[in-house]
């Protein structure tokens, strides 16, 4: 560009104008390219972000369902275990009552036995 300023001839001024116009065009093309690349990058980011968010939601729903299922199975297992413990406790109580009745019957029979004359 420095060689244009050696003289102010119409050709030199025309060449300078053309060179400046070409520079403006190149900068505009560069800015258009950068803008297009930026828009493409942002569109790709939005698409990836939507996909990641959708996947995260699906995973969160799946995890929540797994937690609900686990809690339900845990409650069911605890309820069954408590039921078995209660049944076992009732069976033992009945057994103890039967043994107490047998002990009373044996004790009563022992007390009512005929005593021998020699003792």
């Amino acid at each position: 560009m420095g060689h244009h300023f050696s003289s102010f001839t119409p050709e030199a001024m025309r060449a300078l104008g053309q060179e400046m116009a070409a520079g403006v065009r190149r900068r505009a093309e560069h800015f258009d390219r950068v803008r297009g690349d930026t828009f493409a990058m942002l569109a790709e980011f939005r698409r990836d972000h939507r996909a990641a968010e959708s996947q995260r939601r699906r995973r969160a729903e799946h995890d929540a369902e797994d937690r609900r299922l686990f809690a339900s199975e845990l409650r069911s297992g605890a309820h069954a275990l408590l039921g078995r413990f209660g049944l076992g406790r009732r069976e033992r109580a009945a057994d103890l009552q039967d043994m107490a009745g047998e002990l009373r019957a044996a004790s009563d029979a022992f007390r009512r036995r005929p005593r021998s004359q020699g003792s």
Side-chain angles (χ1 to χ4, degrees), residues 3-55:
H3 66 281
H4 295 294
F5 293 113
S6 59
S7 67
F8 290 103
T9 63
E11 295 82 24
M13 291 296 108
R14 199 173 10 264
L16 177 61
Q18 289 171 349
E19 192 172 323
M20 288 172 63
V24 167
R25 243 186 343 271
R26 280 193 308 273
R27 281 190 297 281
E29 290 169 356
H30 174 72
F31 289 140
D32 288 343
R33 194 170 44 254
V34 168
R35 187 179 314 122
D37 291 349
T38 302
F39 285 147
M41 180 187 65
L42 289 173
E44 182 181 358
F45 170 78
R46 282 190 295 270
R47 186 176 52 252
D48 292 348
H49 182 69
R50 275 190 224 111
E53 183 64 18
S54 174
Q55 185 178 15

Side-chain angles (χ1 to χ4, degrees), residues 1-116:
M1 194 155 135
H3 66 281
H4 295 294
F5 293 113
S6 59
S7 67
F8 290 103
T9 63
E11 295 82 24
M13 291 296 108
R14 199 173 10 264
L16 177 61
Q18 289 171 349
E19 192 172 323
M20 288 172 63
V24 167
R25 243 186 343 271
R26 280 193 308 273
R27 281 190 297 281
E29 290 169 356
H30 174 72
F31 289 140
D32 288 343
R33 194 170 44 254
V34 168
R35 187 179 314 122
D37 291 349
T38 302
F39 285 147
M41 180 187 65
L42 289 173
E44 182 181 358
F45 170 78
R46 282 190 295 270
R47 186 176 52 252
D48 292 348
H49 182 69
R50 275 190 224 111
E53 183 64 18
S54 174
Q55 185 178 15
R56 185 199 63 78
R57 283 186 183 140
R58 279 194 308 274
R59 201 174 314 123
E61 288 171 4
H62 183 263
D63 290 349
E65 183 59 32
D66 285 349
R67 282 191 300 275
R68 279 191 292 273
L69 180 62
F70 175 77
S72 174
E73 289 176 353
L74 185 61
R75 277 191 296 274
S76 177
H79 183 65
L81 188 61
L82 288 174
R84 282 196 309 250
F85 287 162
L87 180 62
R89 190 172 46 245
R90 287 188 295 272
E91 288 175 353
R92 278 190 292 286
D95 289 345
L96 287 173
Q97 287 174 350
D98 289 344
M99 288 189 323
E102 291 172 4
L103 182 62
R104 268 193 306 275
S107 176
D108 290 344
F110 183 75
R111 273 187 252 136
R112 286 190 214 133
R113 77 182 185 320
R115 301 220 168 145
S116 65

